[in-house]
């Protein structure tokens, strides 16, 4: 064997084209009719498809990456930062699956397989099942891609600051892998907060990318907990001084931040302090609108006092709502006690055709509510009867149902308000709607009578299970 002494010699910087452009960007703008293969790689609309797990990769921090490929052989076209909704047969193949949304951690530049990375919550319903049961050969029903949190299709400047905490690294990893795969000029700074020195997922790959790609710099930080003496990264929670040190020009960058609620709220305030404009800040709040989050926090604070009046769609399960957030960030959680979720006490229902459901048959002494006896509020040409709340709401056909319902006091969970997340899903007992969703509901759910009131308008009088 011959020993070769490796010495580092100066290497010139690569010559690059200006900015970044996603592979499908020119296809989208083409007037000449691109080939079918090129069209297949464009992230045009969310689709329903089946996917087979082909690999599982343990990650640090209690996370696991699951690599999938579509069973129909097609590529999965998506934008870096988006997520997919997956139906997991947690309660058995013969029971209704439980849907969860997880961010894609792979790059859309390698579309023939795709990955989601799931953090295991020991007290959760779905994530432990996923870690223990999803193996190569497992086939799952999926819907996607979905989400407004993603890199632009083209960026002439491509200067980014990525802030991640815990599982928030998942969509950031997709963005970073994408930038590393693409030609073009870019300037990327990553600041990654973790709970313990050995808990940073993807740390080997992050170190590799930073070592070979001069466009990328990666920094690590531990919070207020104990840390090893040899720790060389940042110490303490996210601060303006920390942001200034890693990115003194933060006010000239596009900022993408992912992590728990407290981290994201802190990041928002700190970014303002260092001069970053709101229009340059993107967070995993689906719509990117922080006001939506603040309004919903106020709703949950009220719900803690009157939890018995919250509709089942919000209070179904603390775990269900925790894991319905992309990358399982746990931004919102309903109230619960040692016995489980605080249940709503909604009024009993009968089916729209007059036939009583099984629960009603078991309790014949309970009379079905009569919407004609409900109080009526609002003005408009149509009437929405909310059977659980016990109220009639007048509405004009051009108004979103969710907005009018919430103003009238109807408790419907809501997050994105754009038809993407599916958190406002309710059952339509009768009536007709126009719904313009963006992937937040599946065809089988629509066939079962469910709809998203955030992106729906009424065409006729309606009776709604809310």
């Amino acid at each position: 064997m011959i020993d070769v002494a490796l010495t580092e010699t100066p290497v010139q910087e690569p010559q690059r084209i200006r900015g970044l452009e996603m592979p499908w960007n020119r296809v989208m703008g083409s007037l000449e009719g691109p080939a079918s293969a090129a069209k297949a790689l464009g992230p045009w609309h969310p689709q329903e498809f089946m996917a087979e797990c082909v690999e599982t990769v343990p990650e640090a921090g209690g996370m696991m990456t699951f690599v999938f490929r579509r069973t129909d052989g097609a590529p999965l076209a998506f934008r870096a930062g988006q997520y997919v909704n997956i139906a997991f047969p947690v309660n058995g193949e013969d029971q209704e699956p439980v849907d969860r949304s997880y961010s894609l951690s792979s790059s859309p530049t390698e579309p023939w397989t795709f990955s989601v990375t799931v953090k295991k919550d020991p007290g959760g319903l779905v994530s432990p099942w996923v870690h223990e049961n999803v193996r190569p050969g497992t086939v799952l029903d999926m819907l996607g891609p979905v989400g407004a949190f993603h890199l632009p299709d083209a960026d002439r400047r491509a200067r980014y600051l990525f802030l991640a905490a815990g599982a928030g690294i998942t969509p950031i990893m997709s963005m970073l892998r994408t930038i590393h795969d693409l030609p073009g000029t870019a300037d990327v700074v990553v600041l990654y907060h973790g709970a313990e020195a050995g808990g940073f997922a993807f740390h080997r790959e992050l170190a590799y990318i930073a070592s070979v790609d001069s466009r990328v710099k990666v920094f690590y930080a531990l919070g207020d907990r104990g840390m090893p003496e040899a720790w060389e990264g940042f110490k303490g929670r996210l601060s303006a001084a920390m942001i200034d040190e890693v990115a003194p020009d933060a006010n000239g960058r596009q900022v993408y931040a992912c992590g728990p609620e407290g981290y994201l709220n802190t990041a928002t305030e700190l970014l303002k302090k260092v001069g970053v404009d709101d229009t340059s800040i993107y967070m995993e709040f689906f719509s990117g609108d922080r006001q939506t989050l603040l309004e919903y926090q106020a709703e949950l604070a009220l719900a803690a006092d009157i939890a018995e009046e919250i509709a089942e769609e919000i209070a179904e399960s603390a775990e269900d709502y925790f894991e319905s957030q992309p990358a399982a960030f746990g931004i919102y959680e309903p109230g619960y006690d040692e016995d489980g979720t605080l249940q709503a006490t909604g009024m009993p229902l009968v089916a729209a055709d007059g036939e009583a459901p099984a629960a009603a048959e078991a309790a014949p002494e309970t009379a079905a509510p009569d919407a004609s006896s409900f109080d009526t509020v609002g003005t408009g040409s149509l009437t929405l009867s909310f059977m659980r709340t016990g109220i009639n709401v007048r509405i004009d056909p051009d108004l979103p149902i969710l907005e009018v319902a919430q103003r009238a006091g109807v408790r419907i969970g809501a997050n994105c308000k754009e038809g993407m997340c599916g958190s406002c899903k309710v059952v339509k007992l009768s009536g007709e709607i126009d719904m313009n969703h963006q992937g937040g509901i599946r065809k089988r759910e629509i066939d079962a009578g469910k709809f998203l009131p955030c992106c729906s308008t009424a065409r006729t009088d309606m009776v709604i299970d809310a």
Side-chain angles (χ1 to χ4, degrees):
M1 178 181 292
I2 300 176
D3 291 330
V4 178
L6 298 178
T7 58
E8 187 170 335
T9 58
V11 178
Q12 291 184 341
E13 280 292 305
Q15 294 183 348
R16 305 179 188 273
I17 60 174
R18 182 181 175 186
L20 289 178
E21 186 175 23
M22 298 300 149
W24 55 82
N25 189 57
R26 300 195 180 198
V27 177
M28 295 174 69
S30 174
L31 299 176
E32 300 179 1
S36 296
K39 287 183 178 179
L41 296 175
W44 318 117
H45 303 289
Q47 308 170 40
E48 293 187 45
F49 59 93
M50 304 297 292
E52 175 190 20
C53 177
V54 295
E55 185 179 11
T56 62
V57 183
E59 308 283 1
M63 300 174 73
M64 180 84 75
T65 292
F66 300 87
V67 183
F68 292 91
R69 65 183 174 195
R70 291 177 54 147
T71 57
D72 60 8
L76 178 64
F78 63 95
R79 292 177 169 91
Q82 291 189 299
Y83 60 92
V84 289
N85 183 274
I86 308 175
F88 296 103
V90 173
N91 301 312
E93 295 293 342
D94 58 339
Q95 300 295 316
E96 188 74 9
V98 180
D99 292 344
R100 290 291 182 270
S101 295
Y102 287 110
S103 292
L104 292 148
S105 54
S106 55
S107 168
T109 59
E110 301 177 1
W112 302 106
T113 60
F114 60 94
S115 303
V116 297
T117 302
V118 180
K119 182 176 177 63
K120 184 177 182 179
D121 173 16
L125 170 66
V126 173
S127 62
W129 186 93
V130 173
H131 275 241
E132 295 164 11
N133 292 277
V134 177
R135 295 291 181 266
T138 302
V139 176
L140 298 170
D141 181 14
M142 299 191 182
L143 170 67
V146 188
F149 180 81
H150 57 73
L151 291 176
D153 291 325
D155 191 339
R156 296 288 283 175
R157 298 183 70 240
R159 303 180 72 247
Y160 304 117
L161 170 59
F162 294 153
L163 302 177
I169 191 62
T170 305
I172 295 299
M173 201 66 201
S174 177
M175 296 180 183
L176 192 61
R177 285 167 165 165
T178 301
I179 293 170
H180 177 57
D181 286 348
L182 292 175
T185 55
D187 184 343
V188 182
V189 174
V190 182
L191 178 55
Y192 183 7
H193 263 81
E196 56 183 5
F200 290 91
F202 311 109
H203 64 92
R204 290 189 181 90
E205 185 177 356
L206 286 167
Y208 169 75
I209 291 176
S211 69
V212 300
D213 194 332
S214 61
R215 301 173 296 174
V216 177
K217 295 181 178 65
V218 180
F219 300 90
Y220 299 90
L222 290 175
D224 297 332
R225 303 176 187 177
M227 60 191 67
E229 294 182 2
W231 176 252
E232 298 179 352
F234 288 98
K235 302 175 183 179
R237 298 185 178 184
L238 186 66
S239 65
M242 195 179 294
I243 294 174
D244 269 332
E245 186 164 349
V246 301
D249 57 349
N251 62 351
R253 297 174 180 267
Q254 301 293 310
V255 183
Y256 290 82
C258 294
E261 174 191 353
Y263 175 84
L264 293 174
N265 287 338
T266 298
T268 300
E269 300 304 325
L270 294 175
L271 289 168
K272 290 181 180 178
K273 287 185 178 180
V274 299
V276 181
D277 188 82
D278 281 345
T279 59
S280 297
I281 300 173
Y282 305 90
M283 296 192 176
E284 189 64 286
F285 296 153
F286 296 107
S287 66
D289 181 359
R290 186 166 182 264
Q291 187 61 32
T292 300
L293 171 67
L294 297 178
E295 291 173 358
Y296 199 74
Q297 285 176 324
E299 289 183 16
L300 289 178
L302 177 61
D305 297 328
I306 54 171
E308 70 278 3
E309 298 178 7
I310 305 174
E312 290 180 0
E313 198 66 49
I314 298 178
E316 180 181 357
S317 151
E319 158 59 17
D320 280 358
Y321 211 88
F322 172 82
E323 289 197 272
S324 69
Q325 310 306 318
F329 293 155
I331 297 177
Y332 315 120
E333 296 182 46
Y336 60 96
D337 57 23
E338 65 276 6
D339 296 323
T341 306
L342 297 174
Q343 295 296 323
T345 59
M347 297 182 180
L349 298 177
V350 294
D353 60 5
E355 295 181 4
E361 293 175 359
E365 70 278 7
T366 302
D370 179 5
S372 64
S373 65
F374 296 165
D375 290 337
T376 300
V377 299
T379 59
S381 58
L382 301 176
T383 300
L384 309 179
S385 297
F386 293 95
M387 304 304 285
R388 293 180 183 273
T389 307
I391 191 171
N392 292 322
V393 180
R394 302 287 294 177
I395 187 174
D396 288 324
D398 59 337
L399 294 178
I401 292 173
L402 177 65
E403 178 183 333
V404 176
Q406 288 184 328
R407 284 205 306 264
V410 180
R411 294 284 171 182
I412 299 177
N415 192 343
C416 74
K417 298 185 179 181
E418 295 180 359
M420 292 188 295
C421 70
S423 61
C424 65
K425 205 175 297 173
V426 294
V427 175
K428 171 174 63 70
L429 299 177
S430 69
E432 299 297 329
I433 60 165
D434 286 323
M435 179 167 59
N436 184 25
H437 70 91
Q438 299 185 51
I441 189 169
R442 296 170 182 268
K443 183 178 183 300
R444 59 176 167 80
E445 294 174 314
I446 296 174
D447 292 343
K450 295 183 179 181
F451 76 104
L452 301 177
C454 70
C455 57
S456 299
T457 55
R459 295 171 54 190
T460 66
D461 291 345
M462 296 181 61
V463 179
I464 301 170
D465 184 12

